[in-house]
Amino acid sequence: MNTPHPQTVVPAVSGARLITGAVNWYGLYTLYLKEVWRFLKVPAQTLVGPAATTLLFLAVFSLALGGATRVVGGVPFLEFLAPGLFMMAMIQSAFANPSSSLVMAKIQGNIVDLLMPPLSPGEIALGMVAGGVTRGLVTGLVLFIVVQPFVPLAPTHFFFILFHATAASMALALIGMIVGIWAEKFDHIAAATNFVVTPLAFLSGTFYSVERLPGIWHTLSQLNPFFYMIDGLRYGFIGTADGSLTVGFAVMVVLNLGLWVLCHRLLVSGYKLKP
Amino acid sequence: MTTFHLRVTGGVNWYGLWTLYLKEVRHFLKLPAYTVLAPTVTGLLFLAIFTLALGGAVRQVVGLPFIEFLAPGLAIMAVIHASFDNPAASVVQGKLHGSIVDVLMPPLSPAEFTLGYVLGGATRGLLVGAALLVVMQIFVPLVPRHPGVVLYFAVATALALAMLGFVAGLWAPKWDHLAMVNNFTITPLAFLSGVFYSIGGLPDAWQTAALFNPFFYMIDGFRYGFIGYADGSLMTGMAVVAVLNLALWFLCHRLIASGYRLKP
């Protein structure tokens, strides 16, 4: 009577997953899709909003500066400005997706839907970060298309555009993920966005060539990782860079690796997610 | 036997109005990092990037250093966004959470209902504007030359935007709709209203278009109070914002009286 039904016997192997192989591809794909649908469902906020903001910045700067005639870094100011605006929007989008997803799930309690399925810390991180990277890249692409009628941009170095767009989106998605794990309320995310991400993005050389800055500001700019994201992407479009491309490349790789390790460790430890 | 007391409120339910106003003020004071500090930081960032990108110290606009021209416009732009946001977010949240009944059930007339939300929004706008003006003093000395003009345009702008936010909140079924209103009307109208440049230097078509933008008069009038120069006519500006406020008040009142999107 007391013997369990054969079908309910679970082998007592610790850490064994019954359904999947080494990687739970199906679960990973499901998490990724969930993260992508999140932003595709509200395009007015996630895609049209940044596009409108970017066009406004272009309009204001060309009206305020007589943009067509002014030359920065050897190209018309608007051509200098546009890639920086793409990167700024990508940075904010890639950050927003995982961070708001995690905090919303924590507040509404549906975080269990993420913690219960047989997903390893690496798979959780990958699914959410891939979602953020997708949003960043889609946003960048939309902006590139929308801006074309006003500022014709011909990509000259595809590799740099692709590398910096992906590396920056990934870094910001990882930062968004870490902030989302830490944050308990939307107010915390707003604080991270308004006091860290936006200032670093605004002061990274989107709107001006850092060459022109006075001494200490010039040095500080070189310590801002966002500077290398924008500078590298801009190099891909206009063929000139304010800083060293090699340093930029290295900074991006190291930054992403460091963030991956941190993010993975946080998920393994269960920090602020598990009791 | 149960006895019922009829509460008599007189012509105006002052206590109810005060309570609603307090609720609206606490709505934003609970999140000061988001509602007051963030717009201040954004204003300072705009000041920094425009000054750095434009070589602000040497560049002159209408005979003034660019930064002195820019700073008052940034302050009133912050007023615009904050005043709009408070009632809009509060009404949409009330509708989504269902807590709007707590405002619909009490004995508040349509005018009291509207006034409570609008005054709450205007309070936030003025607070944010004042905070930004104080912080900007570090970088650019701002002394109102015509305090009366500054006050008139600040209050009229805050009230008008709070009413616009109230109407947007009533209309919007979800957050996404509110974001749309912000992205496609408020932000573009504010950005293109002459905060960042004197419309005197614009091509003719843009100049004419700016004269049809009510935000232009708010910014122009407010800035006149500080720098003593206006792109347009000050009298026209005062009249435009006064008429705008009256029209919005009637619209709000009618919407609430009719129960638009609030009552079945």
Side-chain angles (χ1 to χ4, degrees):
Chain A
M1 287 296 258
N2 286 331
T3 44
H5 192 273
Q7 279 181 348
T8 64
V9 174
V10 174
V13 182
S14 107
R17 284 201 307 206
L18 299 174
I19 322 159
T20 61
V23 176
N24 180 356
W25 292 110
Y26 191 66
L28 180 59
Y29 181 63
T30 307
L31 178 58
Y32 171 73
L33 270 194
K34 167 187 166 296
E35 289 297 297
V36 171
W37 277 118
R38 276 193 79 237
F39 77 86
L40 285 183
K41 266 190 80 174
V42 283
Q45 274 177 69
T46 53
L47 298 175
V48 187
T53 310
T54 301
L55 287 180
L56 275 176
F57 269 114
L58 282 177
V60 164
F61 271 91
S62 53
L63 289 172
L65 306 175
T69 52
R70 204 151 152 276
V71 171
V72 172
V75 296
F77 181 64
L78 288 187
E79 277 181 42
F80 175 88
L81 179 63
L85 291 176
F86 300 164
M87 183 51 93
M88 226 168 64
M90 291 164 76
I91 281 172
Q92 283 167 343
S93 304
F95 173 83
N97 212 55
S99 59
S100 62
S101 179
L102 277 172
V103 170
M104 200 182 286
K106 278 200 230 176
I107 290 174
Q108 297 183 346
N110 59 314
I111 189 85
V112 290
D113 295 341
L114 180 71
L115 297 174
M116 286 286 286
L119 287 167
S120 68
E123 286 156 1
I124 290 179
L126 197 60
M128 298 200 73
V129 168
V133 171
T134 305
R135 174 155 161 201
L137 294 179
V138 170
T139 305
L141 191 66
V142 167
L143 295 191
F144 175 72
I145 293 166
V146 167
V147 158
Q148 281 301 316
F150 309 100
V151 189
L153 287 166
T156 38
H157 304 281
F158 269 109
F159 169 77
F160 280 93
I161 293 174
L162 213 61
F163 172 79
H164 281 278
T166 312
S169 296
M170 190 184 289
L172 267 294
L174 283 163
I175 295 174
M177 179 108 198
I178 292 162
V179 169
I181 292 172
W182 160 78
E184 282 151 24
K185 287 190 275 177
F186 272 108
D187 208 30
H188 295 150
I189 294 202
T193 307
N194 287 311
F195 304 129
V196 184
V197 176
T198 309
L200 283 177
F202 264 56
L203 299 173
S204 59
T206 301
F207 299 98
Y208 44 80
S209 169
V210 298
E211 295 288 320
R212 287 182 48 206
L213 293 183
I216 172 83
W217 292 104
H218 186 240
T219 315
L220 280 179
S221 290
Q222 314 255 331
L223 298 177
N224 178 355
F226 291 23
F227 162 73
Y228 297 99
M229 300 175 186
I230 286 167
D231 202 40
L233 186 79
R234 185 151 54 210
Y235 174 80
F237 282 103
I238 68 172
T240 53
D242 278 347
S244 153
L245 288 170
T246 320
V247 173
F249 192 88
V251 167
M252 284 297 99
V253 171
V254 172
L255 180 69
N256 270 299
L257 283 177
L259 288 169
W260 267 115
V261 172
L262 176 60
C263 188
H264 191 260
R265 278 192 64 96
L266 286 177
L267 285 171
V268 170
S269 74
Y271 175 72
K272 293 233 181 169
L273 288 179
K274 294 176 189 171
Chain B
M1 221 173 103
T2 321
T3 50
F4 292 97
H5 296 278
L6 187 66
R7 230 190 83 215
V8 182
T9 56
V12 177
N13 179 358
W14 291 110
Y15 190 65
L17 177 59
W18 173 242
T19 309
L20 178 58
Y21 172 73
L22 270 193
K23 166 190 166 301
E24 283 301 292
V25 170
R26 288 190 179 142
H27 172 83
F28 76 84
L29 281 185
K30 268 190 81 173
L31 305 168
Y34 182 66
T35 54
V36 181
L37 220 54
T40 311
V41 172
T42 308
L44 287 180
L45 280 175
F46 272 119
L47 197 68
I49 58 164
F50 274 88
T51 311
L52 288 170
L54 307 178
V58 284
R59 203 151 151 280
Q60 300 250 318
V61 174
V62 300
L64 285 167
F66 179 66
I67 191 167
E68 277 183 43
F69 176 87
L70 176 64
L74 290 176
I76 196 78
M77 208 163 85
V79 174
I80 286 175
H81 284 294
S83 306
F84 178 87
D85 192 49
N86 211 58
S90 180
V91 172
V92 170
Q93 193 168 40
K95 284 200 290 185
L96 287 178
H97 291 185
S99 57
I100 195 87
V101 290
D102 297 341
V103 191
L104 290 171
M105 288 285 287
L108 286 167
S109 70
E112 287 154 2
F113 187 98
T114 308
L115 206 57
Y117 278 102
V118 169
L119 290 179
T123 304
R124 170 155 155 208
L126 293 174
L127 200 68
V128 168
L132 189 53
L133 277 178
V134 169
V135 178
M136 282 196 296
Q137 295 289 335
I138 304 169
F139 307 97
V140 46
L142 289 168
V143 185
R145 292 191 199 178
H146 310 283
V149 177
V150 169
L151 206 65
Y152 174 80
F153 278 99
V155 173
T157 302
L159 288 174
L161 266 295
M163 286 192 270
L164 276 175
F166 187 63
V167 173
L170 288 176
W171 167 78
K174 281 192 241 166
W175 293 114
D176 209 32
H177 299 90
L178 209 53
M180 231 160 67
V181 175
N182 238 323
N183 286 325
F184 298 122
T185 57
I186 305 298
T187 308
L189 284 176
F191 262 60
L192 298 174
S193 61
V195 173
F196 302 101
Y197 44 79
S198 165
I199 68 156
L202 294 184
D204 283 346
W206 284 91
Q207 228 176 93
T208 315
L211 293 176
F212 285 98
N213 179 354
F215 291 14
F216 161 72
Y217 295 99
M218 300 172 185
I219 285 160
D220 200 41
F222 186 77
R223 186 162 52 211
Y224 172 83
F226 282 94
I227 66 173
Y229 166 87
D231 275 342
S233 149
L234 194 65
M235 284 301 137
T236 311
M238 287 189 157
V240 166
V241 292
V243 170
L244 182 68
N245 267 294
L246 278 178
L248 283 170
W249 174 259
F250 279 114
L251 175 62
C252 287
H253 193 271
R254 273 198 67 93
L255 289 179
I256 294 301
S258 74
Y260 174 74
R261 301 237 167 149
L262 286 182
K263 295 177 188 171

